[in-house]
Amino acid sequence: MEAEALDTQSLRSGLLALAQNHHWTWTTEVQRSFAALPGATQHQHPAAMVEALTETDLNVILADEALSGTLQAQINECSELTAQIPSPPDVAYFSPEFGISDLVPQYSGGLGILAGDHLKAASDLGTSLCGVGLFYREGFFRQSVAAGNQQERYERYEPEDLGLIDIDVEVTIPVGGRDVVAKAWRLDVGRVALILVDTDLPQNSTADRAITDRLYSGDRRHRLEQELVLGVGGARALAAIGWDAPVSHLNEGHAGFLILELLDRQISSGASLTEALSAIRPGLVFTTHTPVPAGIDRFEPALALGYLEPWAKRWGVPIDVVMSLGVDPTDDPATFNMAALCLQAAGRANGVSKLHGEVSRKLFANVPGGTDIGSVTNGVHARTWVMPRLQETFDETLGRGWDNGHADAWDRVEDIDQDTIRGLRKAGSGDLRDLVAERTGASIDPDSLIVGFARRFATYKRATLMLEHRAELEALLANEDQPVTFVFAGKAHPADNEGKALLAEVVAFGASDAACGRFLFVPDYDIAVARAMYAGCDVWLNHPVRPREASGTSGEKAALNGGLNCSISDGWWDEMADGENGWTIPASAATDAALRDAAEAKATIALFRDQIVPEYYADGDSMSARWVARLRHNWQSLGPKVTAARMVTDYREHFYGPALADVERR
């Protein structure tokens, strides 16, 4: 369609299509175009912006030849991209959450962010894949801090306001002996379609409408029913669309009830349960994300039985046989273990770093398939997480391929001069200072070394570790000649009182005189806050209890932006640290938790006092030449390894491709 042929109606429909394909979330030029629309606001989804445009607004856009011409080209490019969505896809990627944008609040943390990055990288690479998840009308909670304590609130979202497309598909799901109706929505992510299932429909009971109300809320029954809707409802939604993906990828055990639906299709065609398991195994890939038993999704037998019994009756097998599909012999007391279900049914399984693969093989050694767990180390979507100004420099100097992890492109960071690097880093820290001032009222010294810690406030992540040695920490914070500022962000699960206590302790110390205004907490952590922190922090701090961090990806995002990691040797850092691209906190050999924490806290503060801070200020000013050299090495050594493009390529070569071949031979 020629630009001059645009009228207000075609402009509105074109803009809506542009807003509904979330390729804009990693395309800065399109983001700028949306920001130029009349009435545009930073915190509104582009789909809602477009709906709010009046006829007068549309005519104003049409009268601006430069803007309307740019929009027309972007609309055409988006149309071409959307036309390339595979139908049907080869792989269906099931996950309980997807972090696509802070403007699509359907994620809580790392698992969802990883899933969103997986879809984006699959789009970039042209991987034949779709996503499958749930649509949560109230998303995950928004956080505020009152009297030093976390407060939670929920906001209600309408699918159309978040760019979801009504595809006129409804399915029925057996949930505990009753039928629940679910609607499927489509959310486009470049060349990838994400199908989201929603039970908030008038024909359902009040209780059933609430199954997909919130992410990770409610009791165990609510959780189990959500997982049934995700696995069974997601599979039935794909079938109703006409998509029979030969390979299904389960991102954690939350979608494991997909296995029930796949087994049912085989048994309904005359197979025995044993034959059905053999038939579905080649096309199932399972990724586990937890290295500790407490992180595995389990349901007590009395609860699980009521939801599994209808399947047993339908298949004509004893309920004990169905329950045995989710048995880990080491569970005490016995439970229906979702990871065990997935491992027994999947032909291929993996952890999310090399170390996590090793830990998982030991953790699941007594479960069929457990000793065969491999690994694909997590990566991050570069175009989503690298700040736009730095992307422009990379595009100009590194050329094409840096965002996909091409080593030859990253080798060219030597061609970026020191002043440019310093300027980019200072620009990022300036944006973070502005955010911190807006959210907290605190000011950060422009020359301060900024240290970031942003993640879920779970006890094993030890947000308060350095408070174990307050005197040394206070001395570090009081240094006026070489200022250091710590910026914290993150949420504790609403039911995690211990995590909330850690958060309150961080906030309380930050408010004390001893912190010197340099120990700050930024509330309501989301993708927007994370992006500012990755771009603005000079050092990224990570000190979980080893080896409980399965992979972690926040440090990878910081590294791509030029932040240097200071981390326990866990997750991805265990295999990628080389002694020069950051600092590794010495792990204590103590078996007593208190002694271990005290030793590792002391070691962390010593690293900052004796190595990190002196190097940053080595030239008498911030960001020394030695620091810039280390930063360049950080890019050269980690850039080729930490991208989601590398991750998805690994999945294609080692999991999806072989699984497709096995299915074809079946």
Side-chain angles (χ1 to χ4, degrees):
M1 181 167 47
E2 298 295 331
E4 57 266 27
L6 276 175
D7 57 21
T8 57
Q9 183 177 352
S10 59
L11 176 60
R12 186 189 296 278
S13 63
L15 285 173
L16 184 58
L18 188 63
Q20 288 175 330
N21 190 315
H22 292 73
H23 190 257
W24 59 261
T25 62
W26 71 97
T27 311
T28 55
E29 296 84 356
V30 179
Q31 292 170 20
R32 292 189 186 109
S33 293
F34 281 130
L37 296 180
T41 62
Q42 184 180 358
H43 304 295
Q44 187 178 35
H45 192 286
M49 288 185 204
V50 173
E51 288 295 335
L53 292 173
T54 65
E55 283 292 303
T56 300
D57 293 332
L58 294 168
N59 279 309
V60 168
I61 297 169
L62 289 174
D64 185 334
E65 293 185 5
L67 178 58
S68 61
T70 297
L71 285 169
Q72 181 64 83
Q74 292 170 347
I75 289 167
N76 290 342
E77 290 170 5
C78 176
S79 178
E80 293 173 4
L81 199 66
T82 304
Q84 297 173 41
I85 292 176
S87 179
D90 290 337
V91 180
Y93 180 88
F94 285 72
S95 178
E97 53 175 307
F98 287 89
I100 306 299
S101 165
D102 56 295
L103 300 177
V104 187
Q106 299 290 299
Y107 63 93
S108 71
L111 183 71
I113 300 300
L114 170 76
D117 283 6
H118 196 106
L119 299 194
K120 293 175 183 179
S123 172
D124 291 342
L125 296 170
T127 302
S128 180
L129 178 144
C130 73
V132 183
L134 298 178
F135 177 63
Y136 304 96
R137 296 275 176 159
E138 298 181 22
F140 197 53
F141 73 89
R142 305 306 302 252
Q143 178 197 61
S144 58
V145 175
N149 297 306
Q150 173 176 290
Q151 305 291 315
E152 300 108 22
R153 73 182 189 280
Y154 289 88
E155 299 176 355
R156 185 168 176 83
Y157 307 102
E158 296 303 322
E160 295 87 354
D161 291 339
L162 304 183
L164 274 66
I165 301 167
D166 187 349
I167 55 175
D168 195 26
V169 166
E170 291 186 359
V171 296
T172 301
I173 307 155
V175 178
R178 66 191 190 278
D179 285 340
V180 174
V181 180
K183 182 177 181 60
W185 301 88
R186 194 182 85 225
L187 186 147
D188 290 340
V189 186
R191 296 183 181 93
V192 170
L194 170 57
I195 305 302
L196 298 175
V197 182
D198 169 22
T199 65
D200 190 3
L201 302 176
Q203 56 267 52
N204 288 329
S205 68
T206 300
D208 289 343
R209 293 184 71 162
I211 291 176
T212 56
D213 57 355
R214 299 174 177 176
L215 181 58
Y216 303 145
S217 69
D219 58 16
R220 299 303 296 163
R221 182 178 300 277
H222 186 253
R223 180 69 163 264
L224 191 153
E225 292 182 350
Q226 281 191 338
E227 296 187 1
L228 269 171
V229 171
L230 172 60
V232 177
R236 293 187 176 185
L238 293 184
I241 295 169
W243 291 357
D244 183 17
V247 173
S248 297
H249 183 175
L250 303 175
N251 189 37
E252 200 35 274
H254 306 302
F257 287 129
L258 162 70
I259 292 163
L260 299 178
E261 177 68 11
L262 297 181
L263 290 173
D264 188 70
R265 294 175 186 178
Q266 296 293 326
I267 294 171
S268 297
S269 298
S272 67
L273 179 57
T274 301
E275 291 168 340
L277 278 167
S278 297
I280 70 170
R281 187 169 286 117
L284 272 178
V285 175
F286 169 55
T287 298
T288 176
H289 289 264
T290 179
V292 292
I296 298 168
D297 221 352
R298 297 178 175 89
F299 298 106
E300 56 272 25
L303 174 63
L305 189 144
Y307 292 89
L308 295 177
E309 197 163 34
W311 298 88
K313 290 179 178 178
R314 177 175 171 82
W315 299 341
V317 299
I319 182 59
D320 291 349
V321 173
V322 178
M323 293 289 289
S324 71
L325 297 175
V327 168
D328 180 343
T330 62
D331 283 350
D332 185 20
T335 58
F336 190 85
N337 184 310
M338 296 300 289
L341 169 67
C342 294
L343 283 169
Q344 291 196 63
R348 290 170 175 81
N350 69 285
V352 289
S353 68
K354 290 180 180 178
L355 177 61
H356 181 227
E358 296 171 10
V359 171
S360 296
R361 287 189 288 275
K362 296 176 183 177
L363 179 64
F364 296 112
N366 295 306
V367 176
T371 56
D372 297 324
I373 295 172
S375 68
V376 173
T377 303
N378 285 346
V380 301
H381 187 255
R383 293 282 181 186
T384 293
W385 298 106
V386 175
M387 66 173 179
R389 279 169 289 199
L390 184 55
Q391 287 190 44
E392 291 171 3
T393 299
F394 284 163
D395 288 339
E396 292 170 3
T397 307
L398 309 189
R400 298 183 63 82
W402 67 267
D403 52 328
N404 287 331
H406 294 176
D408 58 342
W410 284 103
D411 283 341
R412 289 192 283 273
V413 297
E414 294 292 345
D415 297 334
I416 307 176
D417 63 77
Q418 286 194 21
D419 288 343
T420 298
I421 291 174
R422 288 193 180 101
L424 287 164
R425 293 295 308 148
K426 290 297 183 182
S429 63
D431 291 343
L432 177 58
R433 289 199 311 273
D434 291 344
L435 175 73
V436 169
E438 177 188 341
R439 295 284 185 103
T440 71
S443 60
I444 299 176
D445 187 325
D447 293 321
S448 179
L449 171 72
I450 303 177
V451 182
F453 181 100
R455 47 188 39 87
R456 182 164 54 92
F457 270 70
T459 52
Y460 78 89
K461 295 179 185 285
R462 301 189 297 184
T464 59
L465 183 68
M466 287 187 297
L467 297 180
E468 297 276 339
H469 288 278
R470 293 208 180 193
E472 292 91 338
L473 176 61
E474 290 169 8
L476 187 69
L477 295 170
N479 189 335
E480 294 295 336
D481 295 328
Q482 297 180 332
V484 181
T485 302
F486 289 84
V487 179
F488 287 76
K491 297 177 177 179
H493 187 281
D496 183 2
N497 291 326
E498 290 181 315
K500 288 183 179 181
L502 295 178
L503 191 152
E505 191 175 350
V506 167
V507 173
F509 177 74
S512 70
D513 292 340
C516 302
R518 293 176 178 160
F519 201 85
L520 308 172
F521 181 83
V522 179
D524 206 17
Y525 185 51
D526 63 5
I527 286 175
V529 172
R531 283 164 55 92
M533 290 189 66
Y534 300 139
C537 291
D538 301 294
V539 176
W540 198 256
L541 182 60
N542 185 38
H543 39 51
V545 176
R546 188 181 193 272
R548 298 187 189 178
E549 187 84 284
S551 180
T553 57
S554 61
E556 295 179 326
K557 297 160 194 160
L560 287 178
N561 279 282
L564 298 173
N565 278 270
C566 177
S567 177
I568 288 284
S569 188
D570 201 4
W572 72 275
W573 187 244
D574 183 73
E575 67 196 71
M576 296 187 194
D578 65 8
E580 287 295 320
N581 53 15
W583 295 269
T584 298
I585 300 167
S588 169
T591 55
D592 179 83
L595 293 176
R596 175 202 64 211
D597 289 353
E600 292 178 3
K602 187 173 184 178
T604 302
I605 295 173
L607 264 180
F608 279 98
R609 183 189 64 230
D610 301 336
Q611 296 184 40
I612 297 173
V613 175
E615 183 172 308
Y616 187 75
Y617 291 105
D619 296 340
D621 197 359
S622 60
M623 208 173 303
S624 69
R626 175 71 183 94
W627 188 274
V628 174
R630 189 187 291 270
L631 192 159
R632 280 202 184 99
H633 179 68
N634 157 79
W635 278 331
Q636 288 175 322
S637 62
L638 297 178
K641 298 178 181 178
V642 301
T643 68
R646 187 274 308 153
M647 174 185 71
V648 172
T649 297
D650 286 350
Y651 275 112
R652 288 200 316 191
E653 293 180 356
H654 304 297
F655 288 82
Y656 298 161
L660 284 166
D662 286 350
V663 170
E664 289 175 1
R665 286 193 294 265
R666 187 175 62 197

